[in-house]
Amino acid sequence: MSVSPSEEPSCEACETTPEVELIVDARARKIGELEVRRVLPVAKRRMLGPYVFLDHMGPVDFAPGQGIDVGPHPHIGLATVTYLFSGEILHRDSLGSEQAIRPGDINWMTAGSGITHSERTSPLVRASGSRLEGLQIWVALPLEQEEAAPAFRHYPGSTLPSVNLPGAAVRVLIGSAFGQTSPVETASPLFYLDLTLSAGAELEVPSEHAERALYVVSGAIRAGAEEAESGRMLVLSAGAKVTLRATSDARLVLLGGATLEGTRHIHWNFVSSSRERIEEAKDDYRAGRFPRVPGDDAPFVPLPG
């Protein structure tokens, strides 16, 4: 996925309470034929721990013959993390990786010094039609790893631990929570949880991380004095004890982590602590110095602007 370089993020709904530092309502965006709800970044919250970008894809129903086609495009200085609730995406990258991402899997691609990838609906899934919904997030890399060698790791859903609590089910996608630890290898301390809550259920949010937020995928919840439905993120106040209460059956994610050192700049798909490095990446892409994606011979997505 990608960010428009002309898009100046804005906070469309921001308030504060003792438990909630900021409210962020997702903004509709189009990536090709795919409609997404963009949550991060916003003007008042450029990063959440190491997270610099969050898109909620769909839900969208594709008729037979339709699907997503995000052609080969580049990244630097970050890791992309893809997680699906329904459907399938075929990932290919310039390392030669080819991987179908299915519901419950974590797909972690480290861009580092530079990688190219594409995201498509496979011919088999396209032929029958499908429903697609999921989240794609970008994790900024620590300063000493921004130029690391690119890498790709895929974690099937069966390898990720889960916890059943009264009225709640928790999948520990990344990091540790509720006595369980995900096998996903990360570059800095962070966490990412998938929660389903039955109407009326309550759950205390883990408080060990410096920065925390929840994003409601479906249904409705209450956190302190604030309410949130699908498409809303609540950034939680540092150190606050927060209890969630589902006002209907709900699905949400909790995420956050340690604050990264320094500022990160974003231009299109490039993330770096250095504006000069982003300009260099733009020049490299224009000059065709980014690698091709084996198995996807389509032209590169043009550099905007």
Side-chain angles (χ1 to χ4, degrees), residues 33-109:
E33 296 304 310
L34 178 64
E35 182 169 303
V36 304
R37 285 178 275 178
R38 183 147 299 159
V39 186
L40 290 176
V42 291
K44 292 191 176 182
R45 177 58 72 162
R46 296 284 179 167
M47 298 178 68
L48 177 78
Y51 296 104
V52 294
F53 176 93
L54 190 156
D55 264 3
H56 182 179
M57 303 175 283
V60 58
D61 292 303
F62 292 116
Q66 297 180 336
I68 68 166
D69 282 296
V70 182
H73 60 281
H75 291 284
I76 66 164
L78 56 82
T80 66
V81 183
T82 305
Y83 182 68
L84 298 183
F85 303 117
S86 60
E88 179 183 298
I89 295 176
L90 180 62
H91 164 98
R92 293 189 180 98
D93 64 44
S94 51
L95 300 175
S97 312
E98 182 172 323
Q99 177 66 55
I101 311 169
R102 299 187 175 95
D105 300 344
I106 283 286
N107 206 69
W108 181 290
M109 184 186 74

Side-chain angles (χ1 to χ4, degrees), residues 235-247:
V235 179
L236 305 180
S237 301
K241 181 178 179 179
V242 180
T243 298
L244 305 180
R245 186 179 189 278
T247 54

Side-chain angles (χ1 to χ4, degrees), residues 191-195 205-206 213-215 236 244 252-256:
F191 78 109
Y192 186 22
L193 312 178
D194 177 7
L195 278 63
V205 177
L214 63 90
Y215 174 73
L236 305 180
L244 305 180
L252 61 147
V253 294
L254 290 171
L255 70 166

Side-chain angles (χ1 to χ4, degrees), residues 110-198:
T110 300
S113 59
I115 199 169
T116 313
H117 76 135
S118 64
E119 298 153 294
R120 300 189 185 277
T121 301
S122 69
L124 183 62
V125 174
R126 189 184 299 267
S128 60
S130 64
R131 180 178 179 84
L132 179 68
E133 184 178 15
L135 301 176
Q136 186 173 88
I137 57 179
W138 295 355
V139 178
L141 298 176
L143 294 176
E144 67 275 11
Q145 296 188 43
E146 283 189 304
E147 296 300 318
F152 173 80
R153 293 291 301 272
H154 181 79
Y155 299 86
S158 60
T159 68
L160 305 177
S162 59
V163 182
N164 289 319
L165 301 169
V170 182
R171 299 192 74 228
V172 183
L173 308 181
I174 300 174
S176 298
F178 300 103
Q180 298 293 324
T181 298
S182 166
V184 175
E185 296 180 13
T186 67
S188 63
L190 69 158
F191 78 109
Y192 186 22
L193 312 178
D194 177 7
L195 278 63
T196 55
L197 300 176
S198 300

